[in-house]
Amino acid sequence: MSAPAPLSFGVPQGSVLGPILFIMYTKPLSTLIQNHSVLNQSFADDTQLYKPSPPAETHSAIQTCITDVKSWMVDNKLKLNDDKTEVLLCKKKNTTFPSPQPVSVQIGNTDILFSPSARNLGFTLSSDMTLNKHISLVCRAAYFELRKISTIRHTLSSQTTNTLVCAFVLSKLDYCNSLLSVPPA
């Protein structure tokens, strides 16, 4: 058992109340983001900002919001991880916008370039709003698992092979597959 220690900032890692305390601790962040007319959603310590509007308007709103988010995080002893930050400018396929379009968002002294795709809780969203990148990654992951199973297949019973395929291959194919059933607009 550890000796008690005062905690001025943050949430003790691994504590039973940790998830609720973290949500309470970061609740003002959501309000700050909404004050910029930017939408957000959070899952654990991941926060996503989004704003449906033309690229130039979105860029300036997101840029100002991110600057304020970074300041809030510094003031509250949290870190905005520039290395894990991704920016995605989404548009319908074959949609054109007037030039010049923004190419990055600045966080502190770091320019974060717009990505062609970004991962969100295991689902890959492409900037052109197609599912091609996600499907490709799912196929690659499933094929990788099949190849691993095939190397030991000769030592496995049919039932064990079936169990491994269900656990490692079908689970990859099933994850987020409801997103694939939406008919095109």
Side-chain angles (χ1 to χ4, degrees), residues 30-100:
S30 182
T31 305
L32 171 78
I33 293 166
Q34 290 168 2
N35 288 341
H36 287 277
S37 299
V38 172
L39 303 171
N40 71 299
Q41 60 186 32
S42 297
F43 183 80
D45 63 346
D46 288 338
T47 300
Q48 298 163 7
L49 310 178
Y50 51 99
K51 182 165 179 67
S53 62
E57 184 182 322
T58 299
H59 181 262
S60 65
I62 295 289
Q63 181 64 69
T64 305
C65 184
I66 286 177
T67 301
D68 287 352
V69 165
K70 178 130 177 133
S71 294
W72 183 90
M73 293 184 92
V74 168
D75 292 346
N76 289 279
K77 312 295 188 231
L78 293 170
K79 181 181 183 211
L80 179 64
N81 194 337
D82 302 349
D83 296 338
K84 292 184 178 181
T85 300
E86 292 181 283
V87 184
L88 188 65
L89 180 62
C90 295
K91 64 180 181 131
K92 290 182 183 176
K93 197 173 184 178
N94 301 324
T95 302
T96 57
F97 292 115
S99 293

Coordinates of all heavy atoms in Angstrom, one line a residue, residues 30-100:
S30 N -15.3 20.8 -22.5 CA -16.4 20.7 -23.4 C -17.2 22.1 -23.5 O -17.5 22.5 -24.6 CB -17.4 19.6 -22.9 OG -18.5 19.5 -23.8
T31 N -17.4 22.7 -22.4 CA -18.0 24.0 -22.4 C -17.2 25.1 -23.2 O -17.7 25.8 -24.0 CB -18.2 24.5 -21.0 OG1 -19.0 23.5 -20.3 CG2 -19.0 25.8 -21.0
L32 N -15.9 25.0 -23.0 CA -14.9 25.9 -23.7 C -15.1 25.7 -25.2 O -15.1 26.7 -26.0 CB -13.5 25.7 -23.2 CG -12.4 26.4 -24.0 CD1 -12.3 27.9 -23.6 CD2 -11.1 25.7 -23.9
I33 N -15.1 24.5 -25.6 CA -15.2 24.1 -27.1 C -16.5 24.6 -27.6 O -16.6 25.2 -28.7 CB -15.0 22.6 -27.3 CG1 -13.6 22.2 -26.9 CG2 -15.3 22.2 -28.7 CD1 -13.3 20.7 -26.8
Q34 N -17.6 24.4 -26.9 CA -18.9 24.8 -27.4 C -19.0 26.3 -27.5 O -19.8 26.8 -28.3 CB -20.0 24.2 -26.5 CG -20.1 22.7 -26.6 CD -21.0 22.1 -25.5 OE1 -21.5 22.8 -24.7 NE2 -21.1 20.8 -25.6
N35 N -18.3 27.1 -26.7 CA -18.3 28.5 -26.7 C -17.7 29.0 -28.1 O -17.9 30.2 -28.4 CB -17.5 29.1 -25.6 CG -18.2 29.0 -24.3 OD1 -19.4 28.8 -24.2 ND2 -17.5 29.1 -23.2
H36 N -17.0 28.2 -28.8 CA -16.4 28.5 -30.1 C -17.4 28.1 -31.2 O -17.0 28.1 -32.4 CB -15.1 27.9 -30.3 CG -14.0 28.5 -29.5 ND1 -13.3 29.6 -29.9 CD2 -13.5 28.2 -28.3 CE1 -12.4 30.0 -29.0 NE2 -12.5 29.1 -28.0
S37 N -18.6 27.6 -30.9 CA -19.5 27.1 -31.9 C -18.9 25.9 -32.6 O -19.2 25.7 -33.8 CB -20.0 28.2 -32.9 OG -20.6 29.2 -32.2
V38 N -18.1 25.2 -31.9 CA -17.5 23.9 -32.5 C -18.1 22.8 -31.7 O -18.3 22.8 -30.5 CB -16.0 24.0 -32.3 CG1 -15.4 22.6 -32.7 CG2 -15.4 25.1 -33.1
L39 N -18.5 21.7 -32.4 CA -19.0 20.5 -31.8 C -17.9 19.6 -31.3 O -16.8 19.7 -31.9 CB -19.9 19.8 -32.8 CG -21.0 20.6 -33.4 CD1 -21.7 19.8 -34.6 CD2 -22.1 21.0 -32.4
N40 N -18.2 18.8 -30.3 CA -17.1 17.9 -29.8 C -17.7 16.7 -29.3 O -18.9 16.6 -28.9 CB -16.3 18.6 -28.8 CG -17.0 18.8 -27.5 OD1 -18.0 19.5 -27.4 ND2 -16.5 18.2 -26.4
Q41 N -16.9 15.7 -29.2 CA -17.3 14.4 -28.5 C -16.0 13.9 -27.9 O -14.9 14.0 -28.4 CB -18.0 13.4 -29.4 CG -17.1 13.0 -30.6 CD -18.0 12.1 -31.5 OE1 -19.2 12.3 -31.7 NE2 -17.3 11.1 -32.1
S42 N -16.2 13.2 -26.8 CA -15.0 12.7 -26.0 C -15.3 11.2 -25.7 O -16.4 10.8 -25.5 CB -14.8 13.4 -24.7 OG -14.5 14.8 -25.0
F43 N -14.2 10.5 -25.7 CA -14.2 9.1 -25.3 C -12.9 8.9 -24.5 O -11.9 9.0 -25.1 CB -14.3 8.1 -26.5 CG -14.4 6.7 -26.0 CD1 -15.6 6.1 -25.6 CD2 -13.3 5.9 -26.0 CE1 -15.7 4.8 -25.2 CE2 -13.3 4.5 -25.6 CZ -14.6 4.0 -25.2
A44 N -13.1 8.6 -23.2 CA -11.9 8.6 -22.3 C -11.1 9.8 -22.4 O -11.7 10.9 -22.2 CB -11.1 7.3 -22.6
D45 N -9.9 9.7 -22.8 CA -9.0 10.9 -22.9 C -8.9 11.5 -24.4 O -8.1 12.3 -24.6 CB -7.7 10.7 -22.3 CG -6.9 9.7 -23.0 OD1 -7.4 8.9 -23.8 OD2 -5.7 9.6 -22.8
D46 N -9.7 10.9 -25.3 CA -9.7 11.4 -26.7 C -10.8 12.4 -26.8 O -12.0 12.1 -26.5 CB -9.9 10.3 -27.7 CG -8.7 9.4 -27.8 OD1 -7.6 9.9 -27.4 OD2 -8.8 8.2 -28.2
T47 N -10.5 13.5 -27.4 CA -11.6 14.5 -27.7 C -11.5 14.9 -29.2 O -10.4 15.1 -29.7 CB -11.4 15.8 -26.9 OG1 -11.4 15.5 -25.5 CG2 -12.4 16.9 -27.2
Q48 N -12.6 14.9 -29.8 CA -12.7 15.2 -31.2 C -13.5 16.5 -31.4 O -14.5 16.7 -30.8 CB -13.4 14.1 -32.0 CG -12.6 12.8 -31.9 CD -13.5 11.6 -32.3 OE1 -14.6 11.8 -32.7 NE2 -12.9 10.5 -32.1
L49 N -13.0 17.4 -32.3 CA -13.7 18.6 -32.6 C -14.2 18.5 -34.0 O -13.5 18.0 -34.9 CB -12.7 19.8 -32.5 CG -11.9 19.9 -31.2 CD1 -11.0 21.1 -31.3 CD2 -12.8 20.1 -30.0
Y50 N -15.3 19.1 -34.3 CA -15.8 19.1 -35.7 C -16.7 20.2 -35.9 O -17.4 20.7 -35.0 CB -16.4 17.8 -36.1 CG -17.5 17.2 -35.2 CD1 -18.8 17.4 -35.5 CD2 -17.2 16.5 -34.0 CE1 -19.8 16.9 -34.6 CE2 -18.1 16.0 -33.2 CZ -19.5 16.2 -33.5 OH -20.4 15.7 -32.7
K51 N -16.7 20.7 -37.1 CA -17.6 21.9 -37.4 C -18.0 21.7 -38.9 O -17.2 21.8 -39.8 CB -16.8 23.2 -37.2 CG -17.7 24.4 -37.6 CD -17.1 25.7 -37.0 CE -17.9 26.9 -37.3 NZ -19.1 27.0 -36.6
P52 N -19.3 21.5 -39.1 CA -19.8 21.4 -40.5 C -19.9 22.8 -41.1 O -20.8 23.6 -40.7 CB -21.1 20.7 -40.4 CG -21.5 20.8 -39.0 CD -20.3 21.1 -38.2
S53 N -19.1 23.2 -42.0 CA -19.1 24.5 -42.7 C -18.1 24.5 -43.8 O -17.3 23.6 -43.9 CB -18.8 25.6 -41.7 OG -17.6 25.5 -41.1
P54 N -18.0 25.6 -44.6 CA -17.0 25.7 -45.6 C -15.6 25.6 -45.0 O -15.4 26.1 -43.9 CB -17.2 27.0 -46.3 CG -18.7 27.3 -46.0 CD -18.9 26.7 -44.7
P55 N -14.6 25.1 -45.8 CA -13.2 24.9 -45.2 C -12.6 26.2 -44.5 O -12.0 26.0 -43.5 CB -12.4 24.5 -46.4 CG -13.4 24.0 -47.4 CD -14.6 24.7 -47.1
A56 N -12.7 27.3 -45.2 CA -12.0 28.5 -44.6 C -12.6 28.9 -43.2 O -11.9 29.2 -42.3 CB -12.1 29.7 -45.5
E57 N -14.0 28.8 -43.2 CA -14.7 29.1 -41.9 C -14.3 28.1 -40.9 O -14.1 28.4 -39.7 CB -16.2 29.1 -42.2 CG -17.0 29.5 -41.0 CD -18.5 29.5 -41.3 OE1 -18.9 29.9 -42.5 OE2 -19.3 29.1 -40.5
T58 N -14.3 26.8 -41.3 CA -14.0 25.7 -40.3 C -12.6 25.9 -39.8 O -12.4 25.8 -38.6 CB -14.2 24.3 -41.0 OG1 -15.5 24.2 -41.4 CG2 -13.8 23.2 -40.1
H59 N -11.7 26.2 -40.7 CA -10.3 26.3 -40.3 C -10.1 27.4 -39.2 O -9.4 27.1 -38.2 CB -9.4 26.6 -41.5 CG -8.0 26.7 -41.2 ND1 -7.4 27.9 -41.0 CD2 -7.0 25.8 -41.0 CE1 -6.1 27.7 -40.7 NE2 -5.8 26.4 -40.7
S60 N -10.6 28.5 -39.5 CA -10.4 29.6 -38.5 C -11.1 29.3 -37.1 O -10.5 29.6 -36.1 CB -10.9 31.0 -39.0 OG -12.3 31.0 -39.2
A61 N -12.3 28.7 -37.2 CA -13.0 28.4 -35.9 C -12.2 27.3 -35.2 O -12.0 27.4 -34.0 CB -14.4 27.9 -36.2
I62 N -11.8 26.2 -35.9 CA -11.0 25.1 -35.3 C -9.7 25.7 -34.7 O -9.3 25.3 -33.6 CB -10.8 24.0 -36.2 CG1 -12.2 23.3 -36.6 CG2 -9.9 22.9 -35.7 CD1 -12.8 22.5 -35.5
Q63 N -9.0 26.5 -35.5 CA -7.7 27.0 -35.1 C -7.8 27.8 -33.8 O -7.1 27.6 -32.9 CB -7.1 27.9 -36.2 CG -5.8 28.5 -35.9 CD -4.7 27.4 -35.7 OE1 -4.3 26.8 -36.7 NE2 -4.2 27.2 -34.5
T64 N -8.8 28.7 -33.7 CA -9.0 29.5 -32.5 C -9.4 28.6 -31.3 O -8.9 28.8 -30.2 CB -10.1 30.5 -32.7 OG1 -9.8 31.3 -33.9 CG2 -10.3 31.4 -31.5
C65 N -10.3 27.6 -31.6 CA -10.7 26.7 -30.5 C -9.5 25.9 -30.0 O -9.3 25.7 -28.8 CB -11.8 25.8 -31.1 SG -12.5 24.7 -29.9
I66 N -8.7 25.4 -30.9 CA -7.5 24.5 -30.5 C -6.6 25.4 -29.7 O -6.0 24.9 -28.7 CB -6.9 23.9 -31.7 CG1 -7.7 22.8 -32.3 CG2 -5.5 23.4 -31.4 CD1 -7.2 22.1 -33.5
T67 N -6.3 26.6 -30.1 CA -5.5 27.5 -29.3 C -6.0 27.6 -27.9 O -5.2 27.5 -26.9 CB -5.3 28.9 -30.0 OG1 -4.8 28.6 -31.3 CG2 -4.4 29.8 -29.2
D68 N -7.3 27.8 -27.7 CA -7.9 28.0 -26.4 C -7.8 26.6 -25.6 O -7.6 26.6 -24.4 CB -9.3 28.5 -26.5 CG -9.3 30.0 -26.8 OD1 -8.2 30.6 -26.8 OD2 -10.4 30.5 -27.1
V69 N -8.1 25.5 -26.3 CA -8.0 24.2 -25.7 C -6.6 24.0 -25.2 O -6.4 23.5 -24.0 CB -8.4 23.1 -26.7 CG1 -8.1 21.7 -26.2 CG2 -9.9 23.2 -26.9
K70 N -5.6 24.3 -26.0 CA -4.2 24.1 -25.5 C -3.9 24.9 -24.3 O -3.3 24.4 -23.3 CB -3.2 24.4 -26.6 CG -1.8 24.3 -26.2 CD -1.0 23.4 -27.2 CE 0.4 23.4 -26.8 NZ 0.9 22.0 -26.9
S71 N -4.4 26.1 -24.2 CA -4.2 27.0 -23.1 C -4.9 26.4 -21.8 O -4.3 26.4 -20.8 CB -4.7 28.4 -23.3 OG -3.9 29.0 -24.3
W72 N -6.1 26.0 -22.0 CA -6.9 25.4 -20.9 C -6.1 24.2 -20.4 O -6.0 24.0 -19.2 CB -8.3 25.0 -21.4 CG -9.1 24.5 -20.3 CD1 -9.9 25.2 -19.4 CD2 -9.2 23.1 -19.8 NE1 -10.5 24.3 -18.5 CE2 -10.1 23.1 -18.8 CE3 -8.6 21.9 -20.3 CZ2 -10.5 21.9 -18.1 CZ3 -9.0 20.7 -19.6 CH2 -9.9 20.7 -18.5
M73 N -5.6 23.3 -21.3 CA -4.9 22.1 -20.9 C -3.7 22.4 -20.1 O -3.4 21.8 -19.1 CB -4.7 21.2 -22.1 CG -6.0 20.7 -22.6 SD -5.7 19.5 -24.0 CE -5.7 18.0 -23.1
V74 N -2.9 23.4 -20.6 CA -1.7 23.8 -19.8 C -2.1 24.3 -18.5 O -1.4 24.0 -17.5 CB -0.9 24.9 -20.7 CG1 0.2 25.5 -19.8 CG2 -0.3 24.3 -21.9
D75 N -3.1 25.2 -18.4 CA -3.5 25.7 -17.1 C -4.0 24.6 -16.1 O -3.9 24.8 -14.9 CB -4.7 26.7 -17.3 CG -4.2 28.0 -18.0 OD1 -3.0 28.2 -18.1 OD2 -5.1 28.7 -18.4
N76 N -4.5 23.5 -16.7 CA -5.0 22.4 -15.8 C -4.1 21.2 -15.8 O -4.5 20.1 -15.5 CB -6.4 22.1 -16.3 CG -7.4 23.1 -16.0 OD1 -7.9 23.2 -14.9 ND2 -7.7 24.0 -17.0
K77 N -2.8 21.5 -16.1 CA -1.8 20.4 -16.0 C -2.1 19.2 -16.8 O -1.8 18.1 -16.4 CB -1.6 20.0 -14.5 CG -1.4 21.2 -13.6 CD -0.2 22.0 -13.9 CE 0.1 23.0 -12.8 NZ 0.3 24.3 -13.2
L78 N -2.7 19.4 -18.0 CA -2.9 18.3 -19.0 C -2.0 18.6 -20.2 O -1.6 19.7 -20.4 CB -4.4 18.2 -19.3 CG -5.3 17.8 -18.2 CD1 -6.7 17.9 -18.6 CD2 -5.0 16.3 -17.8
K79 N -1.8 17.5 -21.0 CA -1.0 17.7 -22.2 C -1.8 17.4 -23.5 O -2.5 16.3 -23.5 CB 0.2 16.8 -22.2 CG 1.1 16.9 -23.4 CD 2.3 16.0 -23.3 CE 3.1 16.3 -24.5 NZ 3.8 15.2 -25.1
L80 N -1.8 18.3 -24.4 CA -2.3 18.0 -25.7 C -1.2 17.4 -26.5 O -0.2 18.1 -26.8 CB -2.8 19.3 -26.4 CG -3.4 19.2 -27.8 CD1 -4.7 18.4 -27.7 CD2 -3.7 20.6 -28.3
N81 N -1.4 16.2 -26.9 CA -0.3 15.4 -27.5 C -0.3 15.7 -29.0 O -1.1 15.2 -29.8 CB -0.5 13.9 -27.3 CG 0.7 13.1 -27.6 OD1 1.6 13.6 -28.4 ND2 0.8 12.0 -27.1
D82 N 0.6 16.6 -29.4 CA 0.7 17.0 -30.8 C 1.0 15.9 -31.8 O 0.5 15.8 -32.9 CB 1.9 18.1 -31.0 CG 1.7 19.3 -30.2 OD1 0.6 19.5 -29.6 OD2 2.6 20.1 -30.1
D83 N 1.8 14.9 -31.3 CA 2.1 13.7 -32.1 C 0.9 12.8 -32.5 O 0.9 12.2 -33.5 CB 3.2 12.8 -31.4 CG 4.5 13.6 -31.2 OD1 4.7 14.5 -32.0 OD2 5.3 13.1 -30.4
K84 N -0.1 12.8 -31.6 CA -1.3 12.0 -31.8 C -2.4 12.8 -32.4 O -3.5 12.3 -32.6 CB -1.7 11.4 -30.5 CG -0.7 10.3 -30.0 CD -1.3 9.6 -28.8 CE -0.3 8.5 -28.3 NZ -0.9 7.9 -27.2
T85 N -2.3 14.1 -32.6 CA -3.3 15.0 -33.1 C -3.4 14.8 -34.6 O -2.4 14.9 -35.3 CB -3.1 16.4 -32.7 OG1 -3.0 16.5 -31.3 CG2 -4.2 17.3 -33.2
E86 N -4.6 14.6 -35.1 CA -4.9 14.5 -36.5 C -6.0 15.5 -36.9 O -6.9 15.8 -36.1 CB -5.4 13.1 -36.9 CG -4.3 12.1 -36.7 CD -4.9 10.7 -37.2 OE1 -5.6 10.1 -36.4 OE2 -4.6 10.3 -38.3
V87 N -5.9 16.1 -38.1 CA -6.9 17.0 -38.6 C -7.3 16.5 -39.9 O -6.5 16.1 -40.8 CB -6.3 18.4 -38.8 CG1 -7.3 19.4 -39.2 CG2 -5.6 18.9 -37.5
L88 N -8.6 16.4 -40.1 CA -9.2 15.9 -41.3 C -10.2 16.9 -41.8 O -11.1 17.3 -41.1 CB -9.9 14.5 -40.9 CG -10.5 13.7 -42.0 CD1 -9.3 13.1 -42.9 CD2 -11.2 12.5 -41.4
L89 N -10.1 17.2 -43.1 CA -11.0 18.1 -43.8 C -11.9 17.2 -44.7 O -11.4 16.7 -45.7 CB -10.3 19.2 -44.6 CG -11.2 20.2 -45.3 CD1 -12.0 21.0 -44.4 CD2 -10.3 21.1 -46.2
C90 N -13.1 17.0 -44.3 CA -14.0 16.1 -45.0 C -14.9 16.8 -46.0 O -15.3 17.9 -45.7 CB -14.9 15.3 -44.0 SG -14.0 14.3 -42.9
K91 N -15.1 16.2 -47.1 CA -16.0 16.7 -48.1 C -16.5 15.6 -49.0 O -15.9 14.5 -49.0 CB -15.3 17.7 -49.0 CG -14.1 17.1 -49.9 CD -13.5 18.1 -50.7 CE -12.4 17.4 -51.5 NZ -12.4 17.7 -52.9
K92 N -17.7 15.8 -49.5 CA -18.2 14.8 -50.4 C -17.4 14.6 -51.6 O -16.7 15.5 -52.1 CB -19.7 15.2 -50.9 CG -20.7 15.1 -49.8 CD -22.0 15.5 -50.3 CE -23.1 15.5 -49.3 NZ -24.4 15.9 -49.8
K93 N -17.3 13.3 -52.1 CA -16.6 13.0 -53.3 C -17.0 13.9 -54.5 O -18.1 14.2 -54.6 CB -16.8 11.6 -53.7 CG -15.8 11.0 -54.6 CD -16.0 9.5 -54.8 CE -14.9 9.0 -55.6 NZ -15.0 7.5 -55.8
N94 N -16.0 14.4 -55.2 CA -16.2 15.3 -56.4 C -16.7 16.7 -56.0 O -17.2 17.4 -56.9 CB -17.1 14.7 -57.4 CG -16.6 13.3 -57.9 OD1 -15.4 13.1 -58.1 ND2 -17.5 12.4 -58.2
T95 N -16.6 17.1 -54.7 CA -17.0 18.4 -54.3 C -15.7 19.3 -54.4 O -14.6 18.9 -54.0 CB -17.5 18.5 -52.9 OG1 -18.6 17.6 -52.8 CG2 -17.9 19.9 -52.5
T96 N -15.8 20.5 -55.0 CA -14.7 21.4 -55.0 C -15.0 22.6 -54.2 O -16.1 23.1 -54.1 CB -14.4 21.8 -56.5 OG1 -15.5 22.4 -57.0 CG2 -14.0 20.6 -57.3
F97 N -13.9 23.1 -53.6 CA -14.0 24.4 -52.8 C -13.1 25.4 -53.5 O -12.1 25.1 -54.1 CB -13.6 24.1 -51.4 CG -14.5 23.3 -50.6 CD1 -14.1 22.0 -50.2 CD2 -15.8 23.7 -50.3 CE1 -14.9 21.2 -49.4 CE2 -16.6 22.9 -49.5 CZ -16.2 21.6 -49.1
P98 N -13.4 26.7 -53.3 CA -12.6 27.7 -53.8 C -11.2 27.6 -53.2 O -11.0 27.2 -52.1 CB -13.2 29.0 -53.4 CG -14.5 28.7 -52.7 CD -14.6 27.2 -52.5
S99 N -10.2 28.0 -54.0 CA -8.8 27.9 -53.6 C -8.5 29.3 -53.0 O -9.1 30.3 -53.3 CB -7.8 27.7 -54.7 OG -8.1 26.4 -55.2
P100 N -7.5 29.4 -52.1 CA -6.7 28.4 -51.6 C -7.4 27.7 -50.4 O -8.1 28.4 -49.6 CB -5.4 29.1 -51.1 CG -5.9 30.4 -50.8 CD -7.0 30.8 -51.7

